[in-house]
Amino acid sequence: MLKVGVLGAGHLGKIHLRLLNESKKYSLIGFYDPDAIQGKKVADEFGYTYYDNINNLINAVDVIDIVTPTLSHFDCAKKAIEKGKHVFIEKPITNTLEEAVELISLAEQYNVKGQVGHVERFNPAFSAVKNSIESPMFIETHRLAEFNPRGTDVPVVLDLMIHDIDAILSVVKSKVKKINASGVSVISKSPDIANARLEFENGCVANLTASRISLKNMRKSRFFQQDAYISVDFLEKKVEVVKMKDAPEKAGDFDMILQNAEGEKKQIYFENPEIEVNNAILDELETFADAINTNTSPVVTLKDGTQALKVALEIINSFNNK
């Protein structure tokens, strides 16, 4: 079992603490939070060991789990990496691209592993169809949330849309060549609703919408590729997979057959991949333990997190240039 310490005991930090405490792959040593009152309150309520000194916690563990506000991600990760500790960092990886690039360099220098908490990669609906998403040419995503004051200190792109950016970059094996975006601040000082169009070098186009002022929650992505349509509902954990193949010479009574203008006939059929129930946060933490123990690449590397941040910041920059 890997000895792990958590930095940050806020809403998400407490979830990480509980899951790491339950995990059979980690031994939870303790946690640090700069707010001593909050730290002692969490320690008293749940029985975790509170460290009032960040360096003492880092020295006591193999892995540091960083669940602090984004502004402090870089400083926390740098401290841990320079002491030879592996780091799990909640998304977004850092506040700036320069910080993210430096973390990649530091991790290589000190020979440690890092993973970024893009939890939707572990959503069971996405996991069920990811291998079926091959060379998508049009992608549409909607990530809509009801208003919650928590998180409004950052633009909706870094708060919500970055989940879909990372998922898209994981399946489109091509570089982004052009970005057009617009964002509107309705309640917060930073944009609350945003739309972005990403054009890739291979011709794929992705249209992303994110909002944190919606009347209902929605987290859906649709992938269109040759002979297939794949829909992923991240919120309800459901998928739709509609595929086409050449029609048989003799169609059955219940076969769905389409004929195009050239006279070619295609048969429509549905796939129902099995969706395995899981805890996505526990999965991302435990696959990181596996990557450390087997010396393999984490599912979401520091480079992956940096690429998602790069695109997100370019989207935000596109707002500012309008």
Side-chain angles (χ1 to χ4, degrees):
M1 294 171 77
L2 293 164
K3 291 185 287 185
V4 64
V6 177
L7 304 184
H11 172 74
L12 189 55
K14 284 189 280 191
I15 294 172
H16 279 231
L17 282 164
R18 176 175 59 81
L19 293 172
L20 289 168
N21 194 45
E22 293 171 0
S23 173
K24 292 179 172 58
K25 299 191 178 187
Y26 289 101
S27 172
L28 177 61
I29 301 302
F31 72 99
Y32 167 80
D33 193 290
D35 183 341
I37 294 172
Q38 166 73 358
K40 286 167 184 169
K41 181 182 173 186
V42 171
D44 290 343
E45 187 175 351
F46 300 102
Y48 311 131
T49 304
Y50 173 62
Y51 281 69
D52 59 7
N53 182 292
I54 188 172
N55 292 314
N56 290 346
L57 179 60
I58 291 172
N59 289 335
V61 300
D62 307 306
V63 181
I64 284 289
D65 179 12
I66 300 168
V67 202
T68 61
T70 306
L71 283 171
S72 62
H73 283 188
F74 174 74
D75 288 338
C76 292
K78 187 171 187 284
K79 275 190 175 80
I81 292 170
E82 287 179 340
K83 292 196 173 182
K85 312 300 180 177
H86 306 288
V87 291
F88 182 98
I89 311 171
E90 256 311 317
K91 65 86 194 166
I93 179 172
T94 51
N95 191 48
T96 70
L97 194 59
E98 291 75 19
E99 289 174 344
V101 170
E102 187 173 340
L103 284 189
I104 292 171
S105 178
L106 283 168
E108 290 173 352
Q109 180 184 340
Y110 287 89
N111 194 30
V112 299
K113 295 188 184 297
Q115 179 162 319
V116 183
H118 284 287
V119 70
E120 292 289 40
R121 294 268 206 113
F122 298 84
N123 187 298
F126 186 62
S127 298
V129 296
K130 186 179 178 186
N131 290 338
S132 298
I133 302 172
E134 301 170 347
S135 303
M137 295 311 291
F138 180 69
I139 302 168
E140 188 171 38
T141 72
H142 289 88
R143 187 168 292 262
L144 315 178
E146 295 173 4
F147 184 73
N148 182 346
R150 189 173 62 85
T152 54
D153 54 329
V154 295
V156 70
V157 175
L158 291 174
D159 184 26
L160 297 178
M161 189 184 283
I162 196 165
H163 284 294
D164 297 311
I165 293 169
D166 173 71
I168 288 169
L169 293 179
S170 75
V171 296
V172 180
K173 305 305 180 188
S174 181
K175 291 181 179 178
V176 176
K177 72 170 184 179
K178 187 178 180 183
I179 293 175
N180 282 306
S182 58
V184 180
S185 301
V186 180
I187 296 175
S188 319
K189 290 184 178 178
S190 60
D192 295 302
I193 184 165
N195 176 263
R197 176 185 167 92
L198 310 182
E199 296 180 24
F200 293 84
E201 289 180 355
N202 69 350
C204 177
V205 171
N207 191 22
L208 299 83
T209 300
S211 167
R212 58 184 174 206
I213 51 166
S214 295
L215 297 177
K216 64 177 183 178
N217 294 322
M218 178 191 288
R219 304 201 312 249
K220 286 185 177 179
S221 295
R222 300 171 180 86
F223 301 86
F224 299 84
Q225 60 197 41
Q226 186 172 12
D227 293 339
Y229 159 74
I230 299 166
S231 172
V232 181
D233 189 327
F234 290 91
L235 188 62
E236 299 294 333
K237 298 178 175 55
K238 295 178 180 177
V239 297
E240 290 178 10
V241 180
V242 183
K243 291 191 172 182
M244 288 196 292
K245 61 184 178 182
D246 291 334
E249 287 188 20
K250 289 186 178 180
D253 292 341
F254 299 102
D255 289 345
M256 296 178 66
I257 308 296
L258 289 179
Q259 183 172 322
N260 63 17
E262 288 76 31
E264 296 173 329
K265 291 183 179 180
K266 293 279 187 178
Q267 179 182 350
I268 297 175
Y269 65 101
F270 300 86
E271 287 185 356
N272 296 296
E274 186 178 344
I275 297 174
E276 297 180 8
V277 178
N278 74 332
N279 183 308
I281 297 176
L282 180 61
D283 273 10
E284 65 178 353
L285 291 167
E286 291 197 334
T287 61
F288 186 47
D290 294 339
I292 293 166
N293 287 326
T294 59
N295 193 27
T296 53
S297 181
V299 176
V300 186
T301 64
L302 297 180
K303 288 181 179 177
D304 291 339
T306 300
Q307 281 303 112
L309 177 64
K310 180 175 185 287
V311 172
L313 293 175
E314 286 175 1
I315 289 170
I316 293 167
N317 193 45
S318 181
F319 302 161
N320 300 333
N321 288 338
K322 283 188 165 54

